[in-house]
Amino acid sequence: MPHLFSPLTIKDITLRNRIGVSPMCQYSADDGIPNDWHLVHLGSRAVGGAGLVIVEATSVEPRGRISPEDLGIYSEKHVEPFERMTRFIKDQGAVPGIQLAHAGRKASTYAPWKQKEYGVDVPDHQGGWEIIGPSAIPFSEKNRTPKALSLEDIQQIQEAFRQATIRAREAGFQWVEFHAAHGYLAHSFYSPLSNERTDQYGGSFDNRIRFVIETVRLMRQEWPDNLPFTVRISSTDWVDGGWTIEDSIELSKRLKKEGVDLIDCSTGGNTPNPSINVGPSYQVPFSEKIRHAADIATAAVGLINQGMQADDHIRNERADIVLMGREMLRNPYFPLKASQDVHQKDKLDIPVQYERGWTGWN
Ligand SMILES: Cc1cc2nc3c(=O)[nH]c(=O)nc-3n(C[C@H](O)[C@H](O)[C@H](O)COP(=O)(O)O)c2cc1C
């Protein structure tokens, strides 16, 4: 029976354990280019023992960034700085992953700490560029109204995803995640709450998922067959009349046919204040349902911050891997603590440089 410290093999990639660093925006880049912060931040989590380290939402074109400080992979000049990062993460025994994204109608905002600094709660305008979406429906009454994409615009963005996938491969990533969650562009296409199109990209379920399916198809062609290709979805909108778990199961079945290897099961993000009963592991039931009903590997994420808790999800087949966000910000060495909690200390890689930190005082 697999447990938190069992290796996980998908295609030709084997993770040393089932703990992954969830993608987390750092709002610390200039023109999308990763710098020393990103190298040290992500590198530390690889040193800390995670099996998988996924780089934050990285935009496929400049206007797809959530803020002007987001990472991007929209030109050749981005490849080398990412390559530096992937090389280091691999050297530490972890697998480097990247989340490829387009923020759609939630783009062009402030970094969270700037919102505080400026004393505003309107997450808008800093980027100053036009925002786009499937339909001219703003995310909230405080946000600007996006421009509805033309068919030509859609093709151009899909092409940007294709090129970003090629660059991710050139930069040495071994795991790619298409960001189709949290109210960003892809999610806003499949959720009926943000898509009122009357063409082939709106209306029926098949039409609303068309953007995701077509984009994944283009990306999958460029991503090596022997490397994992994954998709993060919002498994529910948590809103009546919105996207549901049943929709997610059907989408996951379709994505499996497109060559997707794993579904990363998040929720929400497409409406400002949905009613969610948040608590430990609150999103895990979505991972469990999708895993069994769509017969596909899943990642569970959300308020999982204890070793025993994470181990339990793997042992009980609720997920194939657990991703951790905020706990990893608090403690890059979380895997070490978890390995002690679940009595698998011998399964952890401790960098030789740090061995004396774990072997007592002599
Ligand atoms: C600072 C921060 C930045 C985040 N950025 C992203 C992101 O770039 N892409 C994404 O899919 N989720 C993002 N998230 C969500 C996390 O990946 C994760 O799904 C969420 O925090 C729940 O997991 P946790 O309870 O372990 O933190 C972010 C979360 C935080 C706290």
Side-chain angles (χ1 to χ4, degrees):
M1 180 202 294
H3 56 80
L4 193 60
F5 287 88
S6 312
L8 172 66
T9 300
I10 300 183
K11 299 281 176 62
D12 283 355
I13 294 300
T14 297
L15 308 181
R16 60 185 163 185
N17 58 48
R18 312 287 182 112
I19 302 172
V21 180
S22 203
M24 281 182 288
C25 289
Q26 299 295 294
Y27 308 99
S28 301
D30 185 12
D31 194 14
I33 298 179
N35 54 40
D36 290 356
W37 174 264
H38 304 92
L39 175 72
V40 175
H41 161 63
L42 295 163
S44 305
R45 272 95 199 137
V47 169
L52 171 68
V53 178
I54 309 179
V55 175
E56 69 187 64
T58 300
S59 188
V60 301
E61 63 165 15
R63 68 179 168 168
R65 291 170 297 164
I66 301 166
S67 79
E69 292 85 14
D70 278 17
L71 286 181
I73 190 158
Y74 42 78
S75 83
E76 285 309 308
K77 74 178 178 210
H78 293 89
V79 173
E80 201 282 324
F82 276 115
E83 213 264 326
R84 180 172 171 232
M85 188 192 282
T86 60
R87 205 180 319 132
F88 184 79
I89 292 172
K90 286 183 215 169
D91 279 352
Q92 303 311 313
V95 168
I98 186 167
Q99 186 184 53
L100 297 180
H102 193 299
R105 65 181 184 155
K106 289 173 81 178
S108 187
T109 66
Y110 294 101
W113 53 86
K114 289 198 177 159
Q115 288 172 38
K116 279 190 212 142
E117 187 185 316
Y118 299 160
V120 289
D121 63 352
V122 184
D124 211 342
H125 295 307
Q126 189 203 12
W129 62 84
E130 181 181 52
I131 52 171
I132 47 108
S135 301
I137 305 172
F139 170 67
S140 78
E141 57 192 24
K142 291 178 179 169
N143 288 74
R144 280 179 292 161
T145 301
K147 184 191 116 182
L149 290 167
S150 67
L151 292 178
E152 207 183 342
D153 295 332
I154 291 175
Q155 267 184 6
Q156 178 256 312
I157 290 175
Q158 290 177 323
E159 174 59 17
F161 271 103
R162 193 182 71 79
Q163 290 185 18
T165 309
I166 296 172
R167 292 191 194 106
R169 196 183 69 200
E170 285 168 3
F173 286 101
Q174 295 173 309
W175 180 290
V176 79
E177 176 168 280
F178 173 52
H179 195 352
H182 302 168
Y184 297 120
L185 187 63
H187 182 183
S188 66
F189 265 93
Y190 65 71
S191 170
L193 303 175
S194 39
N195 183 345
E196 289 178 352
R197 296 180 76 93
T198 51
D199 61 8
Q200 65 267 43
Y201 290 98
S204 67
F205 174 85
D206 280 9
N207 280 357
R208 281 181 285 111
I209 67 166
R210 190 179 307 279
F211 177 81
V212 171
I213 299 287
E214 284 179 356
T215 311
V216 163
R217 198 171 288 160
L218 277 176
M219 294 169 78
R220 197 62 186 101
Q221 277 166 13
E222 301 298 347
W223 189 246
D225 278 347
N226 64 333
L227 297 180
F229 187 100
T230 73
V231 180
R232 173 168 274 196
I233 62 169
S234 281
S235 315
T236 174
D237 278 335
W238 298 107
V239 174
D240 284 346
W243 180 259
T244 65
I245 177 64
E246 288 74 30
D247 293 330
S248 291
I249 290 169
E250 184 55 31
L251 174 62
S252 301
K253 288 180 183 167
R254 309 270 186 106
L255 289 173
K256 187 180 173 183
K257 285 194 194 134
E258 297 296 333
V260 170
D261 299 297
L262 176 143
I263 304 290
D264 175 4
C265 306
S266 191
T267 69
N270 201 30
T271 56
N273 294 305
S275 163
I276 309 177
N277 193 2
V278 177
S281 301
Y282 72 107
Q283 296 181 141
V284 172
F286 297 100
S287 162
E288 184 171 16
K289 285 192 181 124
I290 291 170
R291 189 174 187 277
H292 295 291
D295 190 25
I296 189 165
T298 59
V301 66
L303 286 178
I304 304 170
N305 48 25
Q306 305 287 328
M308 293 282 258
Q309 179 193 12
D311 189 49
D312 173 74
H313 298 328
I314 303 294
R315 285 183 193 269
N316 288 293
E317 303 186 341
R318 298 190 186 108
D320 296 85
I321 180 169
V322 166
L323 300 183
M324 307 183 76
R326 288 160 291 182
E327 184 59 30
M328 282 290 183
L329 295 184
R330 292 187 281 271
N331 181 9
Y333 302 102
F334 172 83
L336 185 84
K337 167 80 173 51
S339 72
Q340 288 168 330
D341 292 349
V342 302
H343 307 289
Q344 300 286 341
K345 205 170 147 205
D346 56 316
K347 298 264 187 332
L348 202 82
D349 268 352
I350 297 169
V352 284
Q353 296 92 331
Y354 285 6
E355 259 170 11
R356 287 186 63 187
W358 306 107
T359 52
W361 297 104
N362 48 341

Coordinates of all heavy atoms in Angstrom, one line a residue, residues 121-152:
D121 N -8.9 48.0 -1.5 CA -9.2 46.6 -1.6 C -9.6 46.3 -3.0 O -10.2 45.2 -3.2 CB -10.2 46.2 -0.5 CG -11.5 46.9 -0.7 OD1 -11.6 47.9 -1.6 OD2 -12.5 46.6 -0.1
V122 N -9.4 47.2 -3.9 CA -9.7 46.9 -5.3 C -8.5 46.3 -6.0 O -7.5 46.9 -6.2 CB -10.1 48.2 -6.0 CG1 -10.6 47.9 -7.4 CG2 -11.2 48.9 -5.2
P123 N -8.6 45.0 -6.2 CA -7.4 44.3 -6.8 C -7.3 44.6 -8.3 O -7.5 43.8 -9.1 CB -7.7 42.8 -6.6 CG -9.2 42.7 -6.5 CD -9.7 44.1 -6.1
D124 N -7.0 45.8 -8.6 CA -7.2 46.2 -10.0 C -6.2 47.3 -10.5 O -5.6 47.9 -9.6 CB -8.6 46.7 -10.3 CG -9.1 46.4 -11.7 OD1 -8.3 46.1 -12.5 OD2 -10.3 46.5 -11.9
H125 N -6.0 47.4 -11.7 CA -5.4 48.6 -12.4 C -3.9 48.7 -12.3 O -3.3 49.5 -13.1 CB -6.0 49.9 -11.8 CG -7.4 50.0 -12.2 ND1 -7.9 49.9 -13.4 CD2 -8.5 50.2 -11.4 CE1 -9.2 50.1 -13.4 NE2 -9.6 50.3 -12.2
Q126 N -3.2 48.0 -11.4 CA -1.8 48.3 -11.4 C -1.1 48.0 -12.7 O -0.3 48.7 -13.2 CB -1.1 47.5 -10.2 CG 0.4 48.0 -10.1 CD 1.3 47.0 -9.4 OE1 0.9 45.9 -9.3 NE2 2.4 47.4 -9.0
G127 N -1.5 46.8 -13.2 CA -0.8 46.4 -14.5 C -1.2 47.4 -15.6 O -0.3 47.7 -16.4
G128 N -2.4 47.9 -15.5 CA -2.8 48.9 -16.5 C -3.2 48.4 -17.9 O -3.5 49.2 -18.8
W129 N -3.1 47.1 -18.1 CA -3.4 46.6 -19.4 C -4.8 46.1 -19.4 O -5.4 45.8 -18.4 CB -2.4 45.5 -19.8 CG -2.3 44.3 -19.0 CD1 -3.2 43.2 -19.1 CD2 -1.4 44.0 -17.9 NE1 -2.8 42.2 -18.1 CE2 -1.7 42.7 -17.4 CE3 -0.3 44.6 -17.4 CZ2 -1.0 42.1 -16.4 CZ3 0.4 44.0 -16.4 CH2 0.1 42.8 -15.9
E130 N -5.3 46.0 -20.7 CA -6.7 45.5 -20.9 C -6.8 44.1 -20.4 O -6.0 43.2 -20.7 CB -7.0 45.6 -22.4 CG -8.4 45.2 -22.8 CD -8.5 45.3 -24.3 OE1 -7.7 44.7 -25.0 OE2 -9.5 46.0 -24.7
I131 N -7.9 43.8 -19.7 CA -8.2 42.4 -19.3 C -9.2 41.7 -20.3 O -10.0 42.4 -20.9 CB -8.6 42.3 -17.9 CG1 -9.8 43.1 -17.6 CG2 -7.5 42.6 -16.9 CD1 -10.4 42.9 -16.2
I132 N -9.0 40.4 -20.4 CA -9.9 39.7 -21.4 C -10.5 38.5 -20.7 O -10.1 38.0 -19.7 CB -9.0 39.3 -22.6 CG1 -7.7 38.6 -22.1 CG2 -8.6 40.4 -23.5 CD1 -7.6 37.1 -22.3
G133 N -11.6 38.0 -21.4 CA -12.3 36.8 -20.8 C -13.2 36.3 -21.9 O -13.3 36.8 -23.0
P134 N -13.9 35.2 -21.6 CA -14.8 34.6 -22.6 C -15.9 35.6 -22.9 O -16.4 35.7 -24.1 CB -15.3 33.3 -22.0 CG -14.9 33.4 -20.5 CD -13.8 34.3 -20.4
S135 N -16.4 36.3 -21.9 CA -17.5 37.2 -22.0 C -17.2 38.5 -21.3 O -16.3 38.5 -20.4 CB -18.8 36.6 -21.5 OG -19.1 35.4 -22.1
A136 N -17.9 39.5 -21.6 CA -17.7 40.8 -20.9 C -18.4 40.9 -19.5 O -19.3 41.7 -19.3 CB -18.2 42.0 -21.8
I137 N -18.0 39.9 -18.6 CA -18.5 39.9 -17.3 C -17.4 40.1 -16.3 O -16.5 39.3 -16.3 CB -19.2 38.5 -17.0 CG1 -20.2 38.1 -18.1 CG2 -19.8 38.4 -15.7 CD1 -20.7 36.7 -18.1
P138 N -17.5 41.1 -15.5 CA -16.4 41.3 -14.5 C -16.4 40.3 -13.4 O -17.5 39.7 -13.1 CB -16.7 42.7 -13.9 CG -18.1 43.0 -14.2 CD -18.5 42.1 -15.4
F139 N -15.2 40.0 -12.8 CA -15.1 39.0 -11.7 C -16.0 39.5 -10.5 O -16.7 38.6 -9.9 CB -13.7 38.9 -11.3 CG -13.5 38.1 -10.0 CD1 -13.8 36.7 -10.0 CD2 -13.0 38.7 -8.9 CE1 -13.6 36.0 -8.8 CE2 -12.8 38.0 -7.7 CZ -13.1 36.6 -7.7
S140 N -16.0 40.8 -10.2 CA -16.8 41.3 -9.1 C -17.2 42.7 -9.5 O -16.7 43.3 -10.4 CB -16.1 41.2 -7.8 OG -15.2 42.4 -7.7
E141 N -18.1 43.3 -8.7 CA -18.5 44.6 -9.0 C -17.3 45.6 -8.8 O -17.4 46.7 -9.3 CB -19.7 45.1 -8.2 CG -19.5 45.0 -6.7 CD -20.8 45.1 -5.9 OE1 -21.8 44.8 -6.5 OE2 -20.7 45.5 -4.7
K142 N -16.3 45.2 -8.1 CA -15.1 46.1 -8.0 C -14.1 46.0 -9.1 O -13.1 46.7 -9.2 CB -14.4 45.8 -6.6 CG -15.2 46.1 -5.4 CD -14.4 45.7 -4.2 CE -15.2 46.1 -2.9 NZ -14.6 45.4 -1.8
N143 N -14.3 44.9 -9.9 CA -13.3 44.7 -11.0 C -13.7 45.3 -12.3 O -14.9 45.6 -12.5 CB -13.1 43.2 -11.2 CG -12.3 42.6 -10.0 OD1 -12.8 42.4 -8.9 ND2 -11.1 42.3 -10.2
R144 N -12.7 45.5 -13.1 CA -13.1 46.0 -14.5 C -13.8 45.0 -15.3 O -13.6 43.8 -15.0 CB -11.8 46.5 -15.2 CG -11.3 47.8 -14.7 CD -10.0 48.2 -15.5 NE -8.9 47.3 -15.1 CZ -7.8 47.1 -15.8 NH1 -7.6 47.7 -16.9 NH2 -6.8 46.3 -15.3
T145 N -14.4 45.4 -16.4 CA -15.1 44.5 -17.3 C -14.1 44.0 -18.3 O -13.5 44.9 -19.0 CB -16.3 45.2 -17.9 OG1 -17.2 45.6 -16.9 CG2 -17.1 44.2 -18.9
P146 N -14.0 42.7 -18.5 CA -13.0 42.2 -19.5 C -13.6 42.4 -20.9 O -14.8 42.5 -21.1 CB -12.9 40.7 -19.2 CG -14.1 40.4 -18.5 CD -14.6 41.6 -17.8
K147 N -12.6 42.4 -21.9 CA -13.0 42.4 -23.3 C -13.3 41.0 -23.6 O -12.5 40.1 -23.3 CB -11.9 43.0 -24.1 CG -12.3 43.1 -25.6 CD -11.0 43.3 -26.4 CE -10.8 42.2 -27.4 NZ -9.7 42.1 -28.2
A148 N -14.5 40.7 -24.3 CA -14.8 39.4 -24.7 C -13.9 39.0 -25.9 O -13.7 39.8 -26.8 CB -16.2 39.3 -25.1
L149 N -13.3 37.8 -25.8 CA -12.3 37.4 -26.8 C -13.0 37.1 -28.1 O -14.0 36.4 -28.2 CB -11.6 36.2 -26.3 CG -10.6 36.4 -25.2 CD1 -10.2 35.0 -24.6 CD2 -9.4 37.1 -25.6
S150 N -12.3 37.5 -29.2 CA -12.8 37.0 -30.6 C -12.2 35.6 -30.8 O -11.3 35.2 -30.1 CB -12.3 38.0 -31.6 OG -10.8 37.9 -31.7
L151 N -12.7 35.0 -31.8 CA -12.2 33.7 -32.2 C -10.7 33.7 -32.5 O -9.9 32.9 -32.1 CB -12.9 33.1 -33.4 CG -14.4 32.7 -33.1 CD1 -15.1 32.1 -34.3 CD2 -14.5 31.7 -31.9
E152 N -10.3 34.8 -33.1 CA -8.9 35.0 -33.5 C -8.0 35.2 -32.2 O -7.0 34.6 -32.1 CB -8.8 36.3 -34.3 CG -7.6 36.3 -35.3 CD -7.6 37.6 -36.0 OE1 -8.6 38.3 -36.1 OE2 -6.5 37.9 -36.5

